[in-house]
Amino acid sequence: EFIERITDGLFSLNLQGDFVSLNKGLIGIAETPEPELLTMNFLQFCSQEHREIIVKKFSEAIGGKNQKFEANFISGKGRNMVLEISLVPLKNDGKITGLYGIAKDISRLKEFENALSQSERKFKALVQEGSDLIGILDLEGKYKFVSETSYPILGFTPEEFIGQTAFDFIHPEDKERLIKQFSELEIKKQIETKPFRFKNAKGEWRWVETK
């Protein structure tokens, strides 16, 4: 019952790569009826761009080595997908007679990873190429991240800010006002300060405003 209900594709192959057995999970991934699948070879679902590496992994598994890899495949309905494949040799009386496999559809995970990577690249470009000083602080006001613009603006490298509390750099006459506004972030989504004095690496006071 577990094998039938699991969404991952479980299957076995003979030495030629033909399907010998499979579960409902593989039927869903392959988008192909079970009777038809049992007459097919797994290579029929491989994308042309990854066919060579897939064949290589299959051959290494037949040779007795467990394999785990990611590759592009095409379902019976023409859907492009990224699968994580695990292959384990099946032995009978010490001889390898086929392979046992697990196929996991990670297409959405890959889409998420690509979107996250693009987002990170955009953020990095914004932070490094912008003229503003950008920082990330924890709830106590300690710097967790500071953009590289901190050096040309204040003379501090980003590393010198990490772990330091922002209020230690603020002029004593402005500190109480800034601490009060910072605490309002618990109930407000955004605050914008009036100009205040912030100490640079030379001990000079620079007027800044913060959003």
Side-chain angles (χ1 to χ4, degrees):
E1 184 177 354
F2 170 77
I3 291 174
E4 284 304 310
R5 289 178 178 272
I6 193 170
T7 56
D8 292 344
L10 308 181
F11 58 93
S12 62
L13 305 170
N14 61 21
L15 295 177
Q16 289 71 47
D18 302 320
F19 288 106
V20 176
S21 64
L22 48 93
N23 72 335
K24 290 181 180 179
L26 186 71
I27 296 172
I29 291 173
E31 296 181 324
T32 304
E34 181 175 1
E36 189 175 341
L37 271 174
L38 291 173
T39 65
M40 298 175 70
N41 188 286
F42 82 99
L43 285 175
Q44 294 173 254
F45 297 96
C46 299
S47 69
Q48 196 61 39
E49 58 183 329
H50 286 174
R51 187 182 181 91
E52 184 177 344
I53 185 66
I54 295 171
V55 171
K56 180 181 178 182
K57 295 293 184 180
F58 174 79
S59 298
E60 290 176 351
I62 290 295
K65 296 181 180 180
N66 294 357
Q67 300 295 316
K68 188 173 184 179
F69 61 95
E70 297 174 6
N72 293 343
F73 291 82
I74 304 173
S75 76
K77 293 184 178 180
R79 178 173 63 92
N80 293 313
M81 52 190 173
V82 181
L83 300 183
E84 179 185 87
I85 302 293
S86 298
L87 296 175
V88 178
L90 280 173
K91 294 183 178 181
N92 187 9
D93 293 331
K95 293 182 61 177
I96 296 175
T97 58
L99 298 176
Y100 174 73
I102 303 175
K104 181 186 291 289
D105 191 342
I106 58 172
S107 303
R108 290 187 178 180
L109 175 61
K110 286 300 177 182
E111 289 175 2
F112 173 77
E113 288 178 349
N114 291 335
L116 180 61
S117 178
Q118 292 178 11
S119 177
E120 289 176 342
R121 286 198 297 269
K122 290 178 182 178
F123 177 74
K124 189 174 182 180
L126 173 67
V127 168
Q128 292 184 342
E129 298 175 12
S131 59
D132 291 337
L133 173 62
I134 297 176
I136 297 176
L137 292 75
D138 64 17
L139 294 177
E140 296 178 351
K142 290 184 179 180
Y143 287 106
K144 308 295 287 184
F145 167 86
V146 177
S147 66
E148 294 182 8
T149 50
S150 66
Y151 187 76
I153 294 175
L154 296 169
F156 290 110
T157 63
E159 292 75 20
E160 290 178 288
F161 275 113
I162 304 303
Q164 301 280 355
T165 302
F167 306 116
D168 292 340
F169 296 89
I170 296 173
H171 194 284
E173 295 178 5
D174 302 325
K175 186 179 295 187
E176 184 177 348
R177 168 170 61 91
L178 268 296
I179 291 176
K180 181 180 178 181
Q181 283 190 290
F182 185 80
S183 65
E184 292 175 356
L185 281 171
E186 294 185 7
I187 56 175
K188 294 182 179 180
K189 290 184 178 181
Q190 177 177 293
I191 59 171
E192 187 166 353
T193 71
K194 293 181 180 180
F196 60 92
R197 286 159 288 185
F198 196 96
K199 187 185 298 184
N200 68 8
K202 295 180 179 180
E204 303 167 336
W205 296 107
R206 296 298 184 210
W207 286 96
V208 300
E209 58 184 9
T210 301
K211 180 180 293 185

